[in-house]
């Protein structure tokens, strides 16, 4: 066997051993008395070793690249990222002894950059979020490296039929609940990979569950869903870190989504704080976007006299955002007044 094949086998074994050592993430039930008979659950992806749902994606992207023969011993790994994916990929690159460079917008949370460096990776910052793609291509070519390209490969690197993917895990964890088959699963889109996996899995398993994708301001996904124009662009990036994109990402699959909702950024922020009070710990801003969508659907179910369950994701922890989303001065400057939504949420007890 060639040296290369031997290295690849060892690399795959190391990733599988890492999975074997790891536990699944919890499904947390949120108690809201005023939503009698409507149960809300959060799949807590913050408990992965690298702190977000991107741990799953990074693992899948590395296995995909290894099995495709794209990554070999000493291949530098390049990625375009708003941060979370890069943190998780830096972890797997270190596990395999590969150099790692993340191309990120300069607005990325400092904590994330520190975590990438903690795992032995390097951060390569660009001015604007729409510059990360071309710069990643350029770097990969210059260094004879491999551009992971999460925005293209997220939807196909993940096993959508099962293999304990996130949808598989949600449905098996729901098995003993009052309403085991969710009425809705709500998710936001960054790459679109997670919603693609969930949407395909729901169809494959023949469940009646509907998938609602929530989108923040300054993102093209919501408009794209309705007009299917692949050339839609936004000049400024989303202010909700991790979700919302300035261009239509190849990994976003509109046909598996039953409904999309546009969520005002101020509502995402208010819901993030609201959840902090309920859970006793901080969550990231995209979790606020997800949960605001869930609460809208729950109220609509209540108004039409329906009961059932709604599941969403707690995508990452708020500890990463202490200087930004948990800093009142920064919030005021970025989002202004969100009290309208805070008051609206205060009625949910
Ligand atoms: C990536 C990400 C999402 C969206 O997940 P995708 O599978 O990329 O669509 C949501 N929240 C956070 C914090 C993320 O990092």
């Amino acid at each position: 066997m060639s040296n290369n094949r031997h290295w690849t086998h060892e690399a795959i074994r190391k990733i599988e051993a890492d999975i074997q050592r790891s536990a699944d993430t919890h499904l947390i039930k949120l108690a809201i008395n005023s939503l009698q008979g409507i149960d809300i659950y959060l799949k807590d992806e913050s408990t992965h070793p690298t702190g977000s749902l991107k741990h799953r994606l990074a693992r899948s992207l590395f296995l995909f690249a290894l099995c495709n023969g794209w990554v070999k011993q000493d291949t530098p790994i390049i990625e375009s990222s708003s941060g979370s994916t890069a943190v998780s990929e830096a972890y797997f690159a270190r596990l395999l002894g590969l150099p790692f460079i993340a191309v990120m917008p300069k607005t990325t949370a400092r904590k994330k950059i520190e975590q990438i460096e903690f795992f032995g990776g390097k951060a390569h910052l660009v001015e604007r979020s729409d510059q990360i793609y071309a710069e990643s291509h350029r770097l990969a070519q210059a260094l004879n490296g491999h551009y992971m390209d999460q925005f293209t490969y997220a939807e196909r690197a993940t096993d959508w039929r099962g293999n304990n993917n996130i949808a598989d895990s949600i449905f098996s964890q729901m098995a003993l609940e009052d309403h085991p088959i969710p009425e809705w699963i709500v998710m936001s889109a960054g790459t679109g990979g997670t919603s693609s996996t969930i949407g395909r899995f729901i169809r494959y398993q023949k469940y009646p569950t509907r998938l609602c994708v929530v989108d923040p301001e300054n993102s093209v996904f919501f408009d794209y869903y309705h007009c299917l124009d692949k050339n839609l662009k936004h000049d400024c990036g989303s202010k909700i870190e991790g979700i919302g994109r300035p261009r239509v990402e190849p990994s976003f699959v509109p046909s598996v989504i039953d409904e999309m909702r546009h969520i005002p950024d101020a509502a995402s922020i208010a819901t993030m704080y609201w959840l902090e009070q309920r859970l006793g710990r901080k969550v990231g801003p995209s979790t606020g976007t997800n949960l605001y969508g869930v609460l809208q659907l729950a109220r609509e179910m209540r108004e039409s006299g329906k009961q059932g369950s709604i599941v969403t994701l707690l995508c990452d922890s708020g500890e990463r955002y202490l200087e930004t989303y948990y800093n009142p001065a920064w919030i005021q400057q970025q989002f202004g007044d969100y009290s309208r939504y805070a008051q609206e949420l205060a009625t949910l007890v």
Side-chain angles (χ1 to χ4, degrees):
M1 199 167 56
S2 76
N3 256 351
N4 259 333
R5 272 300 262 289
H6 180 72
W7 183 86
T8 304
H9 289 180
E10 271 303 291
I12 293 169
R13 187 191 60 77
K14 282 177 188 163
I15 294 176
E16 288 185 330
D18 187 76
I19 299 174
Q20 191 70 27
R21 291 194 294 273
S22 306
D24 202 351
T25 59
H26 304 297
L27 194 61
I28 299 170
K29 186 174 178 185
L30 209 59
I32 306 174
N33 291 334
S34 61
L35 292 176
Q36 284 273 324
I38 302 167
D39 298 329
I40 295 175
Y41 299 84
L42 293 152
K43 177 82 169 146
D44 184 2
E45 294 291 289
S46 73
T47 62
H48 285 294
T50 57
S52 83
L53 76 167
K54 291 305 192 313
H55 198 77
R56 295 177 192 271
L57 174 61
R59 179 198 286 152
S60 298
L61 286 169
F62 268 93
L63 284 173
F64 193 63
L66 286 164
C67 295
N68 281 333
W70 292 342
V71 166
K72 303 198 167 72
Q73 190 165 10
D74 302 324
T75 304
I77 306 294
I78 324 293
E79 182 63 296
S80 53
S81 173
S82 65
S84 294
T85 305
V87 174
S88 301
E89 286 175 341
Y91 170 94
F92 285 100
R94 189 183 66 172
L95 187 73
L96 306 185
L98 299 172
F100 178 75
I101 303 171
V103 180
M104 300 185 292
K106 66 168 198 218
T107 51
T108 304
R110 201 169 54 89
K111 239 332 340 135
K112 283 190 193 164
I113 297 173
E114 281 171 13
Q115 276 172 318
I116 290 162
E117 289 168 350
F118 174 80
F119 288 124
K122 287 201 186 89
H124 180 94
L125 302 180
V126 295
E127 269 317 293
R128 298 196 321 266
S129 65
D130 61 348
Q131 295 171 328
I132 56 179
Y133 315 101
E135 185 60 10
S136 299
H137 270 296
R138 193 195 65 76
L139 266 183
Q141 248 171 7
L143 301 173
N144 200 17
H146 175 65
Y147 173 25
M148 280 293 215
D149 196 357
Q150 57 166 331
F151 295 107
T152 299
Y153 296 107
E155 59 87 6
R156 65 193 92 154
T158 303
D159 296 337
W160 54 271
R161 291 180 190 84
N163 196 6
N164 199 35
N165 70 31
I166 190 159
D168 196 2
S169 165
I170 288 171
F171 280 91
S172 60
Q173 288 177 320
M174 285 293 290
L176 302 181
E177 298 306 303
D178 289 343
H179 306 284
I181 308 295
E183 196 76 21
W184 290 98
I185 296 181
V186 178
M187 180 52 186
S188 44
T191 63
T194 307
S195 46
S196 303
T197 301
I198 293 171
R200 287 169 177 155
F201 185 84
I202 288 170
R203 278 169 181 71
Y204 184 59
Q205 295 293 336
K206 304 177 281 293
Y207 290 130
T209 306
R210 281 169 293 170
L211 172 64
C212 173
V213 171
V214 284
D215 208 31
E217 293 173 30
N218 301 306
S219 172
V220 295
F221 291 136
F222 181 84
D223 288 340
Y224 172 61
Y225 181 72
H226 293 101
C227 72
L228 297 180
D229 175 1
K230 281 207 161 85
N231 298 312
L232 288 179
K233 293 256 178 333
H234 255 291
D235 297 338
C236 56
S238 158
K239 289 203 244 170
I240 305 296
E241 208 165 306
I243 60 169
R245 301 297 312 162
R247 65 163 205 189
V248 178
E249 301 298 351
S251 264
F252 178 81
V253 181
S255 49
V256 300
I257 299 167
D258 295 288
E259 184 178 329
M260 277 198 73
R261 292 192 177 213
H262 175 78
I263 307 295
D265 288 350
S268 299
I269 299 305
T271 314
M272 178 185 85
Y273 294 139
W274 181 83
L275 184 59
E276 181 194 11
Q277 294 306 313
R278 301 237 135 209
L279 284 183
R281 63 193 170 94
K282 294 176 169 61
V283 301
S286 69
T287 303
T289 313
N290 291 348
L291 189 59
Y292 191 77
V294 168
L295 295 174
Q296 275 189 341
L297 288 165
R299 271 181 294 206
E300 289 161 21
M301 281 173 68
R302 183 177 62 184
E303 278 155 27
S304 58
K306 271 200 198 145
Q307 298 203 330
S309 57
I310 310 179
V311 179
T312 194
L313 270 65
L314 193 170
C315 298
D316 63 356
S317 142
E319 302 305 317
R320 283 185 172 169
Y321 309 104
L322 297 180
E323 292 167 17
T324 51
Y325 297 91
Y326 287 91
N327 169 357
W330 187 87
I331 283 288
Q332 174 61 35
Q333 181 216 341
Q334 293 287 318
F335 301 98
D337 185 17
Y338 60 87
S339 60
R340 186 186 137 212
Y341 296 102
Q343 281 156 20
E344 179 193 313
L345 292 163
T347 63
L348 279 176
V349 284

